[in-house]
Amino acid sequence: MAPRSRFSAQTLAVLAALAGEPSRWHHGYALAKRTKLKSGTLYPILIRLAERGLVEACWETEPPPGRPRRHQYRLSTDGLAAATAALAAADAVAGTRPAADEPDRRRRALRPVTESRVRLARATSGTPA
Amino acid sequence: MTRISRAAGSLAARLLPVELRVWAEALWAEAAQVPSASERAGWLAGGLWLIARECLMIRRVRVSILFVVAAVLLARTAWAGEPTGFDTGVVWGLVVTTVAVLALLPRVVRNRLGPVADSPLARVLRFATYAAILGLIVALAGVLRSSHMPSRVRPENPLPIALLLPWSVFLLLLAGYVAVILIVTAQRSSITARTLAIGTGAGISLGLVMYAIMPLGMNQYATAPWLRGTAIDPVVVLAWILLLGGPVAAAVLAGMRHAPAGGRLRLVDARIRQSIAAGLLSTLVGSLIVCVLGPVTLVLLPRAGLLVHLVYPGRQLTAATLANNVAVLAQGAVGYFLIWLVFPLIGLVLGANTGLVAWHRGRAIGPGNGPGGGGADDGDPAPVPSGDLGREPADEETSVAVGAFVAMRG
């Protein structure tokens, strides 16, 4: 039996979105759009990930004129390792279970995870996109 | 609209601890990127949800909410019924003052000694004290309302000083009780968890035995068949032993079990402090238990059959007889007031006396025999503390026993 991930489906979605381009800084609204999470769900996840040292966060240093500074996020080294392991575990779970048996909510939440797996594999192996 | 909601959000973000505010600000800053107004409103609502959710994860906020709910329920109970006269004024005064004391004192103590100590006992003690005092006020409001005071003191008459004075003293003492509990359970308090446990344990024993005597009247069993002809009531004797011996025993035990690192003088001072705290706690907690359970029992007596059987075992009482008996028992309120006033003083005096005699006596016995072992007085590292806080040399325990004996006689 495949090991169960210690992250929720929503957290996995955030990790996957961040892991898609691990070296790039991401913004909250873009993450929310990609993961289809509401701000009230996304930000607590980012807070917990930052508290565990898996996500780095900082303010934009030079925002364009007329726009407020934005907070930006990316995976730390530990975060990338944790995301890789968690996404692999999630893939294993998805592979051992028939898709029809999986609850819709979890399947929807894990869709960006699956999509990001390809990008993550490229990023970690250094292969160009 | 967005500007207003953003301002409201920034204001709400101030509820969060400093390290979390940045996340709320980040969410608010990001709102500018959300294209449509409805989507933006949803985004900002998520921000408010984030703030509420993170606030609720803070224990202090949860405790504050619980307190506010309890205070509202208390006020609702106290304000129930017609405003009739003096008793209504006293009840309102009681509720307002108590809620103010309970709300403000933690802030004062927090500023000086930090938040509650990271120990389950400290948290339980604070929670139990607050619950007990709120329960006491509800019970007192009930007793006052059933005491028919308005017929004796009419609203047009000025409030008699003779009746206001005891209530003022009661409230002052109530503030003192709360302050002591808050101080000894604060994070930066020098009182250890072990001292808290010893003092609280002695206090619970004293409180329950006192409650068995008044109002339960279990000492009346001295005349029951199984103790017929007993000249001295054993429960009352036990209460006296716990009242006078409990603080001494708690003081000795708390001092003996305390062995901080540092110089000899610091060790002696620390042990004296633990002894005083344990002695004070032992009677303060006991007083709190009996003074809360007593009035609560009186208020519940006409409503709870189980209590009637406990207080009047084997007797069938009519409602009128029961009401009359409750009125008679309520006349013992002076006794509760005396307990409220005198018990903590007894504990304080006995604890201080025991601490001073036991630990100064221990030091006076001479190098090698006093608390903490040998060596000169000032600045010498105490040789005893070695990681096992509970272990002391046998000769020290002898000196402590001598000191305690002298303290009890004194």
Side-chain angles (χ1 to χ4, degrees):
Chain A
M1 190 176 160
R4 192 178 164 81
S5 169
R6 63 199 170 117
F7 296 111
S8 67
Q10 289 86 349
T11 307
L12 279 174
V14 175
L15 284 174
L18 291 167
E21 291 170 280
S23 56
R24 217 193 90 196
W25 289 103
H26 299 259
H27 297 110
Y29 182 57
L31 281 174
K33 276 213 304 194
R34 188 174 296 176
T35 57
K36 298 183 171 54
L37 293 176
K38 297 197 183 313
S39 59
T41 308
L42 171 68
Y43 277 80
I45 290 172
L46 288 172
I47 292 172
R48 300 288 98 78
L49 290 174
E51 279 172 356
R52 290 161 71 172
L54 302 180
V55 161
E56 294 170 351
C58 71
W59 288 99
E60 264 180 346
T61 45
E62 290 174 5
R67 173 168 79 63
R69 286 190 310 160
R70 297 173 78 182
H71 212 221
Q72 43 193 18
Y73 318 96
R74 72 176 178 194
L75 287 174
S76 65
T77 314
D78 286 350
L80 187 57
T84 311
L87 294 172
D91 272 359
V93 169
T96 54
R97 201 182 289 170
D101 289 345
E102 204 168 20
D104 279 353
R105 196 169 150 208
R106 185 173 172 84
R107 205 168 53 222
R108 273 202 308 275
L110 282 175
R111 196 175 296 146
V113 176
T114 319
E115 289 165 8
S116 297
R117 285 286 296 140
V118 181
R119 286 201 296 273
L120 175 64
R122 285 181 192 140
T124 47
S125 63
T127 317
Chain B
M1 184 68 186
T2 308
R3 199 173 296 163
I4 293 169
S5 61
R6 197 174 294 167
S10 321
L11 208 65
R14 295 178 73 85
L15 295 170
L16 290 170
V18 179
E19 68 272 14
L20 287 180
R21 270 179 217 166
V22 68
W23 293 96
E25 287 164 12
L27 192 150
W28 251 257
E30 203 65 20
Q33 305 303 314
V34 184
S36 76
S38 61
E39 209 183 336
R40 198 177 309 129
W43 181 267
L44 292 173
L48 291 176
W49 170 244
L50 166 79
I51 291 167
R53 183 183 156 140
E54 294 301 316
C55 279
L56 282 175
M57 289 179 80
I58 303 166
R59 188 190 293 137
R60 190 153 57 96
V61 175
R62 287 200 303 265
V63 169
S64 301
I65 290 173
L66 195 64
F67 174 70
V68 169
V69 170
V72 168
L73 288 177
L74 173 64
R76 199 167 165 268
T77 312
W79 259 259
E82 291 296 312
T84 46
F86 179 77
D87 68 329
T88 312
V90 170
V91 170
W92 289 5
L94 260 178
V95 171
V96 170
T97 317
T98 307
V99 169
V101 163
L102 293 182
L104 294 177
L105 269 180
R107 295 188 76 86
V108 176
V109 173
R110 191 186 173 87
N111 285 344
R112 298 189 75 86
L113 294 169
V116 64
D118 193 19
S119 120
L121 179 62
R123 280 198 290 273
V124 167
L125 198 55
R126 277 195 180 191
F127 182 82
T129 304
Y130 267 57
I133 285 178
L134 290 172
L136 174 65
I137 298 301
V138 172
L140 285 178
V143 169
L144 273 169
R145 286 205 173 278
S146 60
S147 64
H148 309 297
M149 217 176 263
S151 59
R152 285 184 272 123
V153 184
R154 301 206 175 278
E156 61 269 21
N157 292 342
L159 297 180
I161 298 296
L163 283 171
L164 271 184
L165 193 66
W167 284 114
S168 309
V169 174
F170 168 80
L171 286 172
L172 209 63
L173 286 169
L174 185 139
Y177 273 61
V178 177
V180 168
I181 295 294
L182 290 174
I183 288 168
V184 297
T185 53
Q187 203 172 62
R188 290 200 292 274
S189 160
S190 56
I191 308 307
T192 63
R194 190 171 281 168
T195 302
L196 274 186
I198 292 168
T200 308
I204 290 172
S205 314
L206 172 64
L208 292 180
V209 170
M210 288 298 300
Y211 175 64
I213 295 171
M214 189 173 91
L216 293 192
M218 285 187 177
N219 53 320
Q220 291 163 5
Y221 297 160
T223 56
W226 57 277
L227 270 177
R228 191 181 292 281
T230 307
I232 302 168
D233 184 343
V235 186
V236 173
V237 171
L238 180 61
W240 278 108
I241 290 172
L242 287 173
L243 176 61
L244 299 176
V248 175
V252 170
L253 204 58
M256 251 168 61
R257 307 288 286 180
H258 187 61
R264 172 69 70 81
L265 271 183
R266 193 180 155 195
L267 178 68
V268 170
D269 286 348
R271 284 182 160 173
I272 290 173
R273 210 174 294 134
Q274 302 303 319
S275 295
I276 294 171
L280 174 60
L281 266 178
S282 67
T283 48
L284 189 136
V285 171
S287 161
L288 198 56
I289 288 175
V290 69
C291 288
V292 170
L293 289 184
V296 168
T297 304
L298 286 183
V299 169
L300 292 180
L301 204 52
R303 301 181 185 93
L306 182 70
L307 274 175
V308 176
H309 288 300
L310 203 61
V311 179
Y312 305 104
R315 289 172 60 183
Q316 295 294 325
L317 299 176
T318 61
T321 316
L322 187 61
N324 188 47
N325 287 0
V326 169
V328 170
L329 283 173
Q331 284 170 1
V334 178
Y336 288 119
F337 185 77
L338 282 178
I339 289 174
W340 190 250
L341 179 71
V342 174
F343 269 32
L345 288 178
I346 293 174
L348 182 66
V349 169
L350 286 177
N353 199 23
T354 306
L356 286 169
V357 173
W359 309 119
H360 274 286
R361 169 90 183 174
R363 185 169 59 168
I365 283 171
N369 289 339
D377 272 350
D378 292 341
D380 280 356
V384 166
S386 58
D388 184 0
L389 296 181
R391 196 166 294 166
E392 302 292 336
D395 52 358
E396 178 189 351
E397 291 187 1
T398 312
S399 74
V400 168
V402 169
F405 179 67
V406 172
M408 282 185 77
R409 291 185 63 192

